[in-house]
Amino acid sequence: MNILQSPLTRKLSAFVALETLDMETLARFHRRRRSFLPGHEMLHEGQKSRSAFILAEGWACAYKILPDGERQIVDFQIPGDFLGLRSILFRTADHSIEAITRIEATEVLASDILDGFAQAPRLATAVLWAASRDEAMVVEHLVNLGRRSAEERMAHFLLELGARLSLVGAGDKEGFDCPLTQYHLADALGLSAVHVNRVLRQLREEGLVTFQKGRVIFDDFNRLKALGGFDTAYLDQDGPFLR
Amino acid sequence: MNILQSPLTRKLSAFVALETLDMETLARFHRRRRSFLPGHEMLHEGQKSRSAFILAEGWACAYKILPDGERQIVDFQIPGDFLGLRSILFRTADHSIEAITRIEATEVLASDILDGFAQAPRLATAVLWAASRDEAMVVEHLVNLGRRSAEERMAHFLLELGARLSLVGAGDKEGFDCPLTQYHLADALGLSAVHVNRVLRQLREEGLVTFQKGRVIFDDFNRLKALGGFDTAYLDQDGPFLR
DNA sequence: CGAACTATTGACGTCGCTCAACTAGTGTGG
DNA sequence: CCACACTAGTTGAGCGACGTCAATAGTTCG
C-alpha cells in the first residue's frame, strides 16, 4: 500500500496538512511488516517494549486484567491506529494488547518515532493529536461507564465504532461488519455477558439496532443517537484543522 | 517561582533529562500569569480555545455534562498538570474545566507549544509523555469504573491522588490535604453522593482510611493498596527514563 | 441568625449480577 | 459420518449492590 493511502496517513491528515518531509518521515515508520493470528497477545502488561505497531488491517483490543482475573477492555483498535504507543514512552507497558482478527501491522521502533520528531516537528504535533484523540475516546468511554445505563452504553458504543470505521471506509449509517463477541462487549462495557445479551435483544426489539452474525445494522440511526447521547465532536474528524 | 523548580518541570524531568534549550523553551510557556476563584469555569465544553493553562497552585477538575444534567468528572488536576491541552489541538473543547480551589496558573498559547516543538524536539517528546501519562490515568480510572466495587474504587482513587500529590511534595504515605467534597467524589467515581458517604464510613470503620475535615489519612496503607488493587506502575514516575 | 452548602442516616426500589440450563454452530478425530 | 468437545448465544430465577427519596444535623458565611 502506498504511504499516501495508508489508514494512518489518512487519519493524521484529518488534523494536519502533512508536507513532503512529514510523509517521508512517516514512510520510514513502515519498514517492518508483521502479521499476527487471532488471539495472539501482541503486548503484555508489565513488559518492557521498544517498539509499537501501526495497524494496517484487522481488529485488536487493549485491556487490563485485574487481580481477580476480571478483564476491562479499554479500547478497540482498527486500521490506522497505533498499538502500544504508550508502552514505548513508559518504562513498562501499562496494558496488554490482543489480536481479535488476523492482523497486518508495521512495527515501529521507539527510536524511529523519537528521531522522527527531531526531523519533522509537524509530525510530532500530528502524533500528539492522534494520542489526544485516543485519550478523548477513552474519556468518552469513561463517561459511558460512569453515568450511562447498560442500554445507553451499548448504543453509544456501537455508534462510536461505526463513526470510527466510516473514517477508514469500513462502515456507514447503515451499519458495519463487526468481529466482536458478546464477551468482548461485556469486557468493554463493564457488564456481564449475560446482560449484554439481554440489552442487545432489547435494542433489537425496540427497532434501534441489530447485532447478529458479525454485522451491526442501525435500524433507526437517529433514535439510537438520541438514546446514547452520541455526539461526534470528540472524535474531531471533520477535515484538516492545522494547515 | 524559578522555572527549574516549577511543578511542570519537575514532572517532565521524571521522564526526560531536559537540556538548557528545553528549559528555555519551557520558560517561554510561563509568561502570562492568571488567577481564578473557586468555582470558576475555566473552559467550557464545545468552546473554541486557543490557549491552555499550566497549573501552578490549587486544584481543578475536568468533566463532562450529560444531556440529563448528570456530571462525570474525568480527572482532577493538581500543580504541574496541563489544563485543556486537548482543547487547543481540537477544533472545540471536548470537556469543561472548573476551578475547585483558588488557582494560580500560566496561560499557554497554542502557538507557543507548537513553535516550541520545532525548536526543542525533546520537549515534544516530553509533552507527548505527559499526555500519555494523563491517558494512562484516565485508563486506570476507566478500569476502576468498569470492574471495581464502590469500596475498591474509593480505595484506588484515594491512593492514586496520594501518589500524584507526593510527586509534587503535597502528600505522603500518612495522608494529604484534600479540598474535594463528597459530591466531587461521587461525580468522579460514578456513584451517588449518598453512597459515597456510606463507603467512606465503611472504610473508616474497617480502619483503612479516614477522610474528614479536608484531610485524607491512610490508617492502613498496605491493606488499602491490597483492597484497591493499586499499583503505581501506570504513573511511570520512578525517575528519569529517557536520557 | 438565616441561607446555602455539606455530611449523615434510614427505608425501599431496581438494575444488573450470578448461577444454571439449554440451543446452535463448528471443528476434530476415530 | 457420527460422537464429542468447544465456543457463542439465549433465557429464567433469585439476589445484592447501589440508587432515589426523605429527613436531620453540622458548617460556613454574609
Side-chain angles (χ1 to χ4, degrees):
Chain A
M1 191 185 315
N2 187 320
I3 180 70
L4 289 170
Q5 308 298 331
S6 85
L8 177 61
T9 312
R10 284 173 62 177
K11 197 175 75 165
L12 295 184
S13 297
F15 173 60
V16 287
L18 296 170
E19 291 163 4
T20 314
L21 173 65
D22 304 311
M23 292 293 198
E24 286 167 4
T25 311
L26 209 46
R28 223 164 299 134
F29 289 2
H30 285 277
R31 280 179 302 199
R32 267 166 291 269
R33 192 102 194 160
R34 302 280 303 271
S35 295
F36 300 94
L37 294 177
H40 182 84
E41 192 176 49
M42 302 170 66
L43 177 66
H44 184 70
E45 186 174 347
Q47 168 186 337
K48 243 177 129 76
S49 168
R50 298 278 65 205
S51 61
F53 297 96
I54 296 169
L55 187 50
E57 195 58 51
W59 291 47
C61 66
Y63 61 93
K64 288 201 171 208
I65 300 287
L66 284 111
D68 63 1
E70 281 202 292
R71 174 165 91 156
Q72 176 66 48
I73 292 180
V74 171
D75 193 18
F76 293 101
Q77 280 93 23
I78 59 174
D81 290 341
F82 275 104
L83 301 185
L85 182 57
R86 283 205 309 280
S87 74
I88 60 175
L89 292 169
F90 285 6
R91 265 155 280 260
T92 62
D94 69 327
H95 61 284
S96 305
I97 293 188
E98 182 186 296
I100 293 174
T101 64
R102 181 187 168 80
I103 280 187
E104 297 292 329
T106 52
E107 186 171 3
V108 190
L109 301 183
S111 55
D112 288 342
I113 294 188
L114 303 182
D115 296 349
F117 287 177
Q119 286 158 30
R122 280 177 81 84
L123 191 60
T125 309
V127 171
L128 179 61
W129 171 80
S132 297
R133 184 175 179 273
D134 284 348
E135 186 181 348
M137 288 194 298
V138 177
V139 163
E140 196 61 31
H141 195 165
L142 177 76
V143 173
N144 227 4
L145 292 196
R147 290 294 181 211
R148 286 197 255 254
S149 70
E151 203 186 10
E152 293 165 342
R153 270 182 234 183
M154 184 64 77
H156 189 280
F157 173 80
L158 294 177
L159 286 164
E160 174 183 304
L161 219 39
R164 288 174 62 192
L165 286 165
S166 73
L167 187 66
V168 292
D172 54 34
K173 275 194 164 50
E174 302 304 310
F176 56 90
D177 291 324
C178 179
L180 305 179
T181 67
Q182 294 184 353
Y183 293 89
H184 284 122
L185 298 179
D187 284 346
L189 300 177
L191 299 170
S192 66
V194 171
H195 202 62
V196 162
N197 185 285
R198 287 192 238 274
V199 167
L200 286 176
R201 170 156 54 111
Q202 196 180 340
L203 289 171
R204 194 179 338 115
E205 288 173 356
E206 289 168 333
L208 292 169
V209 62
T210 305
F211 184 174
Q212 272 172 342
K213 306 258 174 199
R215 174 125 191 117
V216 172
I217 297 165
F218 296 126
D219 298 316
D220 190 333
F221 195 78
N222 291 325
R223 264 172 62 223
L224 195 64
K225 268 179 75 167
L227 172 65
F230 185 69
D231 173 1
T232 52
Y234 73 96
L235 293 174
D236 195 51
Q237 60 184 25
D238 308 314
F241 172 47
L242 193 71
R243 288 173 194 281
Chain B
M1 191 185 315
N2 187 318
I3 181 68
L4 289 170
Q5 306 298 331
S6 84
L8 177 60
T9 313
R10 284 172 62 178
K11 196 174 76 165
L12 294 184
S13 297
F15 174 60
V16 287
L18 296 170
E19 291 163 6
T20 314
L21 173 65
D22 304 311
M23 292 292 197
E24 287 167 3
T25 311
L26 210 45
R28 224 164 296 134
F29 289 2
H30 284 277
R31 281 180 301 200
R32 267 165 291 268
R33 193 100 193 159
R34 301 279 303 271
S35 294
F36 300 94
L37 293 177
H40 182 85
E41 192 176 49
M42 301 170 67
L43 177 65
H44 184 70
E45 186 174 347
Q47 169 187 337
K48 242 178 130 76
S49 168
R50 297 280 64 207
S51 62
F53 298 95
I54 296 169
L55 188 50
E57 195 57 52
W59 291 47
C61 66
Y63 62 92
K64 289 201 174 208
I65 300 287
L66 285 108
D68 63 2
E70 280 203 292
R71 174 165 92 155
Q72 175 66 48
I73 292 180
V74 171
D75 193 18
F76 293 101
Q77 280 94 23
I78 59 174
D81 290 342
F82 276 103
L83 301 185
L85 182 58
R86 284 205 309 282
S87 74
I88 61 175
L89 292 169
F90 285 7
R91 264 156 281 262
T92 63
D94 69 327
H95 60 284
S96 304
I97 293 187
E98 182 187 295
I100 292 173
T101 65
R102 180 187 169 81
I103 280 186
E104 298 291 329
T106 52
E107 185 172 2
V108 190
L109 302 183
S111 54
D112 288 342
I113 294 188
L114 304 183
D115 296 350
F117 287 179
Q119 286 158 31
R122 278 178 84 84
L123 190 60
T125 308
V127 171
L128 179 60
W129 171 80
S132 297
R133 183 176 179 273
D134 284 349
E135 186 181 347
M137 289 193 298
V138 177
V139 164
E140 196 61 30
H141 195 164
L142 177 75
V143 173
N144 227 3
L145 293 196
R147 290 293 180 210
R148 286 197 255 253
S149 71
E151 204 186 11
E152 292 165 342
R153 270 181 234 182
M154 183 66 75
H156 190 279
F157 173 79
L158 294 177
L159 286 164
E160 174 183 303
L161 219 38
R164 289 173 62 191
L165 286 164
S166 73
L167 186 64
V168 292
D172 54 33
K173 276 193 162 53
E174 302 302 311
F176 55 91
D177 291 324
C178 180
L180 305 179
T181 67
Q182 294 184 355
Y183 293 89
H184 285 121
L185 298 178
D187 284 347
L189 300 178
L191 299 169
S192 67
V194 170
H195 202 62
V196 163
N197 186 285
R198 288 191 239 272
V199 168
L200 286 176
R201 172 156 54 111
Q202 197 181 339
L203 288 172
R204 192 178 339 113
E205 289 173 354
E206 288 169 332
L208 293 169
V209 63
T210 304
F211 184 173
Q212 272 171 341
K213 304 259 174 196
R215 173 125 191 119
V216 172
I217 297 164
F218 296 125
D219 299 316
D220 190 332
F221 194 79
N222 291 326
R223 265 172 60 224
L224 195 64
K225 268 179 75 168
L227 172 64
F230 185 69
D231 173 1
T232 52
Y234 72 96
L235 293 174
D236 194 50
Q237 60 184 26
D238 308 314
F241 172 47
L242 192 72
R243 289 173 191 281

